[in-house]
Amino acid sequence: MLAWWRTIRLSIKELMLHPLRSSLTVLGIFIGVSSVIWLLAIGEGIGRKAEEQIVDLGARNIILNTVKPSGDQAGEGLYGVTREDFRRLKNTLEGHLERTVPIRALSKEFGRGPRTMEGRLVGTTAGFLEVMRMDVEEGGRFFAPIDSIEERPYCVLGPEARNELVPYGDPIGATVRIGDEFYEVIGVMKQKKSHSSDEKIKTDDYSKDIYIPIETFWRRIGDVIITTGSGLFKRDIVEVSQIVLEVQEQDQVLEMAQVVQDTLAAEHTMPDYTMTVPFELLEQARTTRLLFIVFLGMIAAISLVVGGIGIMNIMLATVTERTREIGIRRALGAKRHDITRQFLIESIVLSTIGGLLGIAAGLTCPLLASPVRRTLFYLFPSQMAALPEEIRNVEPMLVTWSIPLSLAIAVAVGVLFGVYPAMKAAQLDPIEALRHE
Amino acid sequence: MFTSRPATGSLAASIHNLHKQYVLGGETVHALRDVSFDVPRGDYISIMGPSGSGKSTLLNLLGCLDTPTSGNFFLGDLDVAAIDDDHRAEVRSTLIGFVFQSFYLLPALTVVENIEVPLLYSGRLDREARQRAIHLAEQVGLGSRLGHRPTQLSGGQQQRVAIARSLVNDPRFLLADEPTGNLDSQTTTEILELLDNLNKEGRTILLVTHEPEVAEHTKRKIVLRDGRVQIDERMRPC
Ligand SMILES: Nc1ncnc2c1ncn2[C@@H]1O[C@H](COP(=O)(O)OP(=O)(O)OP(=O)(O)O)[C@@H](O)[C@H]1O
Ligand SMILES: [Mg+2]
């Protein structure tokens, strides 16, 4: 034990004799290790963010959205997901679904006394809160199934709608005008925090919404939307804007999505709806992250191999340079494996120091991320702007296992690239080594 | 080939028909031819002879740094000519102390650390090692230079470090190849006194030298010529 310790101290001493040479040798490993940690942290940051956004949408959900068919395909009248679709899906997937939530949304004018505002009127059912991961403020409530069945004129306000329409006092029980009709407020939504920033999966801004039971919506508002403008008259008929199906088991989501696809395809000849499966995106995000890790791993591996070759190069030079020393040590009783050990430890010490410095640099990653980003923005504004949003604004997250991993890799590089020079040193003939000038 | 056990007893070593040849570019160099002699315990032998006569070759063989082409060489009961590389290293570290003409200290290490090096290989690098190294440094008169590096010492001082180092594993044999070859006469006398004392303490010493005055210190003189023992003369009883 003492002998090992002595050998390690000795090799540090040897390396200190050539500080510049040793530090340049260490540089390769340093860069390799710190890039492993940085790049893994960046990959993790990107992946986590994407996953959070997707989980926001619900990993067990299948979301159907009505879209208006484009151009000449657009006939007069009804398009999109229908009440019939909703009923059929519910029957077909019976037993596999946790919830089915239909949503019908429309821009409307809201008012209360002299106050008015533009917002979105949303007709939905009790399950809405769960699938959207939203909640109502204390004191109020969301719809009960009975409210929908009885088509009651109840409404729930989004936080912004509440601020505009009922700025003072208790909103519960207040009467709000929607279009030409009056509704009683039974609850107020809590502000929803959103992780989203990606266009594709952006969760909507719900704060100006007013929610009413969907049966009430169908009865009182109806399906027909008439848009008029200068020389423009449009008549759209939409029954359901969105259906959220929450599958019971996550591993059935993809299978169920296929069933949904098949069920709807039979009825819809026009492309008048889209299906979003967040779980698919989740899978995609995972695959992307995995690819990222593999890709980064390759970069890191290359830089570590280059670092290793640097170490080997220096160690070979060292062995030649210290041939006399090897002879002396052999004359003083060193066996071949003592010499091997000495030089191997020296290369491991080199690579480990590089590794430790690399880890230290890697740990600064979360701290340095935003200054680095700002500098890059300052230096290359247009290039940075062209980057995808999630890469531009990534918050790197240190991956704990990357630290022991990269240290282990550094040590392994030291061993791998130190073995050959060390064996060469040990193979020298003692007398010839002693004679060496 | 002579393989029977030699009469050991008071012998520290015995050498029988030792041959050493080098093949250099198709030409065979006979560095040693049929060298035989016994070394009683406590002997003090100077090996002399013209340059190229095989003195260093002989010393390297006796020190287990090299293997003979043929012949036998016993250290105590052990036939050293027949053992493998690791075993020879073990013999070097336990039975033999080397002193060289050019000192061969390790420049990165201090005086004490240089003295400790052989302990690393004999497995005796324990807690007392440092004390032992310091004690030896004091014995050779370098008690005040413990932390110095070889380059900060004079030739004589460096050779003292080398002698202290050769003693650290308490070897039976001390082999010195022209230990005073690089030293002035004043320092030579000091180093020889050191060696004389070591011999008085019972250590067997073989030293290679060109200088008759150095040989005068020893008890026995072996002169080599063309790889053969030309003269083997005892000046003092063992
Ligand atoms: N490695 C070697 N390869 C070839 N020949 C060698 C080798 N080592 C020694 N010799 C030859 O063996 C002979 C004896 O050499 P050795 O070094 O033993 O002489 P020496 O008596 O020590 O001489 P000096 O007094 O100059 O040190 C010389 O002819 C030398 O050239
Ligand atoms: Mg010689």
mmCIF file with all atom_site columns, all heavy atoms in Angstrom, chain A residues 124-141:
data_model
loop_
_atom_site.group_PDB
_atom_site.id
_atom_site.type_symbol
_atom_site.label_atom_id
_atom_site.label_alt_id
_atom_site.label_comp_id
_atom_site.label_asym_id
_atom_site.label_entity_id
_atom_site.label_seq_id
_atom_site.pdbx_PDB_ins_code
_atom_site.Cartn_x
_atom_site.Cartn_y
_atom_site.Cartn_z
_atom_site.occupancy
_atom_site.B_iso_or_equiv
_atom_site.pdbx_formal_charge
_atom_site.auth_seq_id
_atom_site.auth_comp_id
_atom_site.auth_asym_id
_atom_site.auth_atom_id
_atom_site.pdbx_PDB_model_num
ATOM 1   N N   . THR A 1 124 ? -67.597 21.991 -22.437 1.00 0.00 ? 124 THR A N   1
ATOM 2   C CA  . THR A 1 124 ? -66.900 20.729 -22.157 1.00 0.00 ? 124 THR A CA  1
ATOM 3   C C   . THR A 1 124 ? -67.610 19.976 -21.042 1.00 0.00 ? 124 THR A C   1
ATOM 4   O O   . THR A 1 124 ? -68.716 20.367 -20.642 1.00 0.00 ? 124 THR A O   1
ATOM 5   C CB  . THR A 1 124 ? -65.426 20.994 -21.805 1.00 0.00 ? 124 THR A CB  1
ATOM 6   O OG1 . THR A 1 124 ? -64.753 19.759 -21.669 1.00 0.00 ? 124 THR A OG1 1
ATOM 7   C CG2 . THR A 1 124 ? -65.273 21.787 -20.519 1.00 0.00 ? 124 THR A CG2 1
ATOM 8   N N   . THR A 1 125 ? -66.984 18.911 -20.571 1.00 0.00 ? 125 THR A N   1
ATOM 9   C CA  . THR A 1 125 ? -67.612 18.115 -19.514 1.00 0.00 ? 125 THR A CA  1
ATOM 10  C C   . THR A 1 125 ? -66.714 18.083 -18.280 1.00 0.00 ? 125 THR A C   1
ATOM 11  O O   . THR A 1 125 ? -65.612 18.623 -18.287 1.00 0.00 ? 125 THR A O   1
ATOM 12  C CB  . THR A 1 125 ? -67.869 16.667 -19.971 1.00 0.00 ? 125 THR A CB  1
ATOM 13  O OG1 . THR A 1 125 ? -66.616 16.104 -20.360 1.00 0.00 ? 125 THR A OG1 1
ATOM 14  C CG2 . THR A 1 125 ? -68.835 16.623 -21.132 1.00 0.00 ? 125 THR A CG2 1
ATOM 15  N N   . ALA A 1 126 ? -67.195 17.361 -17.264 1.00 0.00 ? 126 ALA A N   1
ATOM 16  C CA  . ALA A 1 126 ? -66.506 17.347 -15.973 1.00 0.00 ? 126 ALA A CA  1
ATOM 17  C C   . ALA A 1 126 ? -65.065 16.864 -16.074 1.00 0.00 ? 126 ALA A C   1
ATOM 18  O O   . ALA A 1 126 ? -64.200 17.291 -15.315 1.00 0.00 ? 126 ALA A O   1
ATOM 19  C CB  . ALA A 1 126 ? -67.281 16.465 -14.992 1.00 0.00 ? 126 ALA A CB  1
ATOM 20  N N   . GLY A 1 127 ? -64.783 15.963 -17.043 1.00 0.00 ? 127 GLY A N   1
ATOM 21  C CA  . GLY A 1 127 ? -63.433 15.378 -17.138 1.00 0.00 ? 127 GLY A CA  1
ATOM 22  C C   . GLY A 1 127 ? -62.368 16.347 -17.602 1.00 0.00 ? 127 GLY A C   1
ATOM 23  O O   . GLY A 1 127 ? -61.176 16.043 -17.528 1.00 0.00 ? 127 GLY A O   1
ATOM 24  N N   . PHE A 1 128 ? -62.784 17.498 -18.080 1.00 0.00 ? 128 PHE A N   1
ATOM 25  C CA  . PHE A 1 128 ? -61.860 18.486 -18.626 1.00 0.00 ? 128 PHE A CA  1
ATOM 26  C C   . PHE A 1 128 ? -60.717 18.810 -17.669 1.00 0.00 ? 128 PHE A C   1
ATOM 27  O O   . PHE A 1 128 ? -59.552 18.867 -18.056 1.00 0.00 ? 128 PHE A O   1
ATOM 28  C CB  . PHE A 1 128 ? -62.642 19.757 -18.963 1.00 0.00 ? 128 PHE A CB  1
ATOM 29  C CG  . PHE A 1 128 ? -61.814 20.834 -19.606 1.00 0.00 ? 128 PHE A CG  1
ATOM 30  C CD1 . PHE A 1 128 ? -61.567 20.817 -20.968 1.00 0.00 ? 128 PHE A CD1 1
ATOM 31  C CD2 . PHE A 1 128 ? -61.286 21.871 -18.855 1.00 0.00 ? 128 PHE A CD2 1
ATOM 32  C CE1 . PHE A 1 128 ? -60.810 21.814 -21.568 1.00 0.00 ? 128 PHE A CE1 1
ATOM 33  C CE2 . PHE A 1 128 ? -60.529 22.874 -19.438 1.00 0.00 ? 128 PHE A CE2 1
ATOM 34  C CZ  . PHE A 1 128 ? -60.294 22.843 -20.798 1.00 0.00 ? 128 PHE A CZ  1
ATOM 35  N N   . LEU A 1 129 ? -61.089 19.037 -16.406 1.00 0.00 ? 129 LEU A N   1
ATOM 36  C CA  . LEU A 1 129 ? -60.072 19.410 -15.413 1.00 0.00 ? 129 LEU A CA  1
ATOM 37  C C   . LEU A 1 129 ? -58.955 18.382 -15.360 1.00 0.00 ? 129 LEU A C   1
ATOM 38  O O   . LEU A 1 129 ? -57.785 18.720 -15.375 1.00 0.00 ? 129 LEU A O   1
ATOM 39  C CB  . LEU A 1 129 ? -60.695 19.531 -14.021 1.00 0.00 ? 129 LEU A CB  1
ATOM 40  C CG  . LEU A 1 129 ? -61.497 20.783 -13.730 1.00 0.00 ? 129 LEU A CG  1
ATOM 41  C CD1 . LEU A 1 129 ? -61.822 20.834 -12.240 1.00 0.00 ? 129 LEU A CD1 1
ATOM 42  C CD2 . LEU A 1 129 ? -60.727 22.019 -14.139 1.00 0.00 ? 129 LEU A CD2 1
ATOM 43  N N   . GLU A 1 130 ? -59.333 17.091 -15.304 1.00 0.00 ? 130 GLU A N   1
ATOM 44  C CA  . GLU A 1 130 ? -58.323 16.041 -15.182 1.00 0.00 ? 130 GLU A CA  1
ATOM 45  C C   . GLU A 1 130 ? -57.443 15.967 -16.420 1.00 0.00 ? 130 GLU A C   1
ATOM 46  O O   . GLU A 1 130 ? -56.223 15.933 -16.303 1.00 0.00 ? 130 GLU A O   1
ATOM 47  C CB  . GLU A 1 130 ? -58.976 14.678 -14.929 1.00 0.00 ? 130 GLU A CB  1
ATOM 48  C CG  . GLU A 1 130 ? -59.359 14.433 -13.480 1.00 0.00 ? 130 GLU A CG  1
ATOM 49  C CD  . GLU A 1 130 ? -60.715 15.040 -13.128 1.00 0.00 ? 130 GLU A CD  1
ATOM 50  O OE1 . GLU A 1 130 ? -61.407 15.486 -14.078 1.00 0.00 ? 130 GLU A OE1 1
ATOM 51  O OE2 . GLU A 1 130 ? -61.078 15.066 -11.937 1.00 0.00 ? 130 GLU A OE2 1
ATOM 52  N N   . VAL A 1 131 ? -58.059 15.921 -17.594 1.00 0.00 ? 131 VAL A N   1
ATOM 53  C CA  . VAL A 1 131 ? -57.220 15.730 -18.778 1.00 0.00 ? 131 VAL A CA  1
ATOM 54  C C   . VAL A 1 131 ? -56.343 16.944 -19.045 1.00 0.00 ? 131 VAL A C   1
ATOM 55  O O   . VAL A 1 131 ? -55.268 16.820 -19.602 1.00 0.00 ? 131 VAL A O   1
ATOM 56  C CB  . VAL A 1 131 ? -58.017 15.346 -20.049 1.00 0.00 ? 131 VAL A CB  1
ATOM 57  C CG1 . VAL A 1 131 ? -58.732 14.031 -19.856 1.00 0.00 ? 131 VAL A CG1 1
ATOM 58  C CG2 . VAL A 1 131 ? -58.948 16.446 -20.477 1.00 0.00 ? 131 VAL A CG2 1
ATOM 59  N N   . MET A 1 132 ? -56.778 18.119 -18.642 1.00 0.00 ? 132 MET A N   1
ATOM 60  C CA  . MET A 1 132 ? -55.975 19.315 -18.885 1.00 0.00 ? 132 MET A CA  1
ATOM 61  C C   . MET A 1 132 ? -55.069 19.638 -17.695 1.00 0.00 ? 132 MET A C   1
ATOM 62  O O   . MET A 1 132 ? -54.329 20.603 -17.734 1.00 0.00 ? 132 MET A O   1
ATOM 63  C CB  . MET A 1 132 ? -56.877 20.517 -19.160 1.00 0.00 ? 132 MET A CB  1
ATOM 64  C CG  . MET A 1 132 ? -57.642 20.397 -20.452 1.00 0.00 ? 132 MET A CG  1
ATOM 65  S SD  . MET A 1 132 ? -56.511 20.390 -21.847 1.00 0.00 ? 132 MET A SD  1
ATOM 66  C CE  . MET A 1 132 ? -57.600 19.877 -23.160 1.00 0.00 ? 132 MET A CE  1
ATOM 67  N N   . ARG A 1 133 ? -55.191 18.810 -16.664 1.00 0.00 ? 133 ARG A N   1
ATOM 68  C CA  . ARG A 1 133 ? -54.386 19.053 -15.458 1.00 0.00 ? 133 ARG A CA  1
ATOM 69  C C   . ARG A 1 133 ? -54.605 20.475 -14.930 1.00 0.00 ? 133 ARG A C   1
ATOM 70  O O   . ARG A 1 133 ? -53.672 21.221 -14.686 1.00 0.00 ? 133 ARG A O   1
ATOM 71  C CB  . ARG A 1 133 ? -52.893 18.884 -15.758 1.00 0.00 ? 133 ARG A CB  1
ATOM 72  C CG  . ARG A 1 133 ? -52.394 17.498 -15.504 1.00 0.00 ? 133 ARG A CG  1
ATOM 73  C CD  . ARG A 1 133 ? -51.280 17.151 -16.448 1.00 0.00 ? 133 ARG A CD  1
ATOM 74  N NE  . ARG A 1 133 ? -51.809 16.272 -17.477 1.00 0.00 ? 133 ARG A NE  1
ATOM 75  C CZ  . ARG A 1 133 ? -51.826 14.955 -17.373 1.00 0.00 ? 133 ARG A CZ  1
ATOM 76  N NH1 . ARG A 1 133 ? -51.322 14.380 -16.328 1.00 0.00 ? 133 ARG A NH1 1
ATOM 77  N NH2 . ARG A 1 133 ? -52.347 14.208 -18.318 1.00 0.00 ? 133 ARG A NH2 1
ATOM 78  N N   . MET A 1 134 ? -55.868 20.845 -14.827 1.00 0.00 ? 134 MET A N   1
ATOM 79  C CA  . MET A 1 134 ? -56.190 22.172 -14.317 1.00 0.00 ? 134 MET A CA  1
ATOM 80  C C   . MET A 1 134 ? -57.021 22.023 -13.052 1.00 0.00 ? 134 MET A C   1
ATOM 81  O O   . MET A 1 134 ? -57.435 20.930 -12.698 1.00 0.00 ? 134 MET A O   1
ATOM 82  C CB  . MET A 1 134 ? -56.946 22.976 -15.376 1.00 0.00 ? 134 MET A CB  1
ATOM 83  C CG  . MET A 1 134 ? -56.042 23.330 -16.550 1.00 0.00 ? 134 MET A CG  1
ATOM 84  S SD  . MET A 1 134 ? -56.929 23.868 -17.996 1.00 0.00 ? 134 MET A SD  1
ATOM 85  C CE  . MET A 1 134 ? -57.506 25.440 -17.481 1.00 0.00 ? 134 MET A CE  1
ATOM 86  N N   . ASP A 1 135 ? -57.242 23.141 -12.408 1.00 0.00 ? 135 ASP A N   1
ATOM 87  C CA  . ASP A 1 135 ? -57.978 23.072 -11.150 1.00 0.00 ? 135 ASP A CA  1
ATOM 88  C C   . ASP A 1 135 ? -58.745 24.379 -10.954 1.00 0.00 ? 135 ASP A C   1
ATOM 89  O O   . ASP A 1 135 ? -58.391 25.400 -11.537 1.00 0.00 ? 135 ASP A O   1
ATOM 90  C CB  . ASP A 1 135 ? -57.007 22.848 -9.985  1.00 0.00 ? 135 ASP A CB  1
ATOM 91  C CG  . ASP A 1 135 ? -57.709 22.162 -8.812  1.00 0.00 ? 135 ASP A CG  1
ATOM 92  O OD1 . ASP A 1 135 ? -58.932 21.923 -8.915  1.00 0.00 ? 135 ASP A OD1 1
ATOM 93  O OD2 . ASP A 1 135 ? -57.030 21.881 -7.816  1.00 0.00 ? 135 ASP A OD2 1
ATOM 94  N N   . VAL A 1 136 ? -59.796 24.325 -10.129 1.00 0.00 ? 136 VAL A N   1
ATOM 95  C CA  . VAL A 1 136 ? -60.521 25.560 -9.829  1.00 0.00 ? 136 VAL A CA  1
ATOM 96  C C   . VAL A 1 136 ? -60.081 26.105 -8.477  1.00 0.00 ? 136 VAL A C   1
ATOM 97  O O   . VAL A 1 136 ? -59.611 25.365 -7.622  1.00 0.00 ? 136 VAL A O   1
ATOM 98  C CB  . VAL A 1 136 ? -62.056 25.347 -9.815  1.00 0.00 ? 136 VAL A CB  1
ATOM 99  C CG1 . VAL A 1 136 ? -62.572 25.139 -11.214 1.00 0.00 ? 136 VAL A CG1 1
ATOM 100 C CG2 . VAL A 1 136 ? -62.433 24.175 -8.928  1.00 0.00 ? 136 VAL A CG2 1
ATOM 101 N N   . GLU A 1 137 ? -60.250 27.423 -8.340  1.00 0.00 ? 137 GLU A N   1
ATOM 102 C CA  . GLU A 1 137 ? -59.896 28.091 -7.080  1.00 0.00 ? 137 GLU A CA  1
ATOM 103 C C   . GLU A 1 137 ? -60.814 27.614 -5.960  1.00 0.00 ? 137 GLU A C   1
ATOM 104 O O   . GLU A 1 137 ? -61.950 27.198 -6.195  1.00 0.00 ? 137 GLU A O   1
ATOM 105 C CB  . GLU A 1 137 ? -60.066 29.613 -7.232  1.00 0.00 ? 137 GLU A CB  1
ATOM 106 C CG  . GLU A 1 137 ? -59.146 30.262 -8.232  1.00 0.00 ? 137 GLU A CG  1
ATOM 107 C CD  . GLU A 1 137 ? -57.770 30.546 -7.663  1.00 0.00 ? 137 GLU A CD  1
ATOM 108 O OE1 . GLU A 1 137 ? -57.518 30.198 -6.493  1.00 0.00 ? 137 GLU A OE1 1
ATOM 109 O OE2 . GLU A 1 137 ? -56.940 31.107 -8.409  1.00 0.00 ? 137 GLU A OE2 1
ATOM 110 N N   . GLU A 1 138 ? -60.294 27.704 -4.728  1.00 0.00 ? 138 GLU A N   1
ATOM 111 C CA  . GLU A 1 138 ? -61.085 27.407 -3.540  1.00 0.00 ? 138 GLU A CA  1
ATOM 112 C C   . GLU A 1 138 ? -62.424 28.146 -3.583  1.00 0.00 ? 138 GLU A C   1
ATOM 113 O O   . GLU A 1 138 ? -62.496 29.281 -4.049  1.00 0.00 ? 138 GLU A O   1
ATOM 114 C CB  . GLU A 1 138 ? -60.347 27.899 -2.281  1.00 0.00 ? 138 GLU A CB  1
ATOM 115 C CG  . GLU A 1 138 ? -59.119 27.088 -1.901  1.00 0.00 ? 138 GLU A CG  1
ATOM 116 C CD  . GLU A 1 138 ? -59.470 25.738 -1.306  1.00 0.00 ? 138 GLU A CD  1
ATOM 117 O OE1 . GLU A 1 138 ? -60.409 25.699 -0.490  1.00 0.00 ? 138 GLU A OE1 1
ATOM 118 O OE2 . GLU A 1 138 ? -58.836 24.728 -1.693  1.00 0.00 ? 138 GLU A OE2 1
ATOM 119 N N   . GLY A 1 139 ? -63.461 27.487 -3.102  1.00 0.00 ? 139 GLY A N   1
ATOM 120 C CA  . GLY A 1 139 ? -64.755 28.168 -2.985  1.00 0.00 ? 139 GLY A CA  1
ATOM 121 C C   . GLY A 1 139 ? -65.664 27.928 -4.168  1.00 0.00 ? 139 GLY A C   1
ATOM 122 O O   . GLY A 1 139 ? -66.877 27.980 -4.040  1.00 0.00 ? 139 GLY A O   1
ATOM 123 N N   . GLY A 1 140 ? -65.056 27.624 -5.331  1.00 0.00 ? 140 GLY A N   1
ATOM 124 C CA  . GLY A 1 140 ? -65.897 27.367 -6.504  1.00 0.00 ? 140 GLY A CA  1
ATOM 125 C C   . GLY A 1 140 ? -65.839 25.906 -6.868  1.00 0.00 ? 140 GLY A C   1
ATOM 126 O O   . GLY A 1 140 ? -65.249 25.101 -6.164  1.00 0.00 ? 140 GLY A O   1
ATOM 127 N N   . ARG A 1 141 ? -66.477 25.561 -7.993  1.00 0.00 ? 141 ARG A N   1
ATOM 128 C CA  . ARG A 1 141 ? -66.412 24.170 -8.453  1.00 0.00 ? 141 ARG A CA  1
ATOM 129 C C   . ARG A 1 141 ? -66.493 24.153 -9.967  1.00 0.00 ? 141 ARG A C   1
ATOM 130 O O   . ARG A 1 141 ? -66.790 25.171 -10.600 1.00 0.00 ? 141 ARG A O   1
ATOM 131 C CB  . ARG A 1 141 ? -67.550 23.349 -7.849  1.00 0.00 ? 141 ARG A CB  1
ATOM 132 C CG  . ARG A 1 141 ? -68.938 23.792 -8.318  1.00 0.00 ? 141 ARG A CG  1
ATOM 133 C CD  . ARG A 1 141 ? -70.002 22.849 -7.734  1.00 0.00 ? 141 ARG A CD  1
ATOM 134 N NE  . ARG A 1 141 ? -71.348 23.217 -8.169  1.00 0.00 ? 141 ARG A NE  1
ATOM 135 C CZ  . ARG A 1 141 ? -71.923 22.762 -9.290  1.00 0.00 ? 141 ARG A CZ  1
ATOM 136 N NH1 . ARG A 1 141 ? -71.273 21.959 -10.095 1.00 0.00 ? 141 ARG A NH1 1
ATOM 137 N NH2 . ARG A 1 141 ? -73.157 23.118 -9.608  1.00 0.00 ? 141 ARG A NH2 1
#
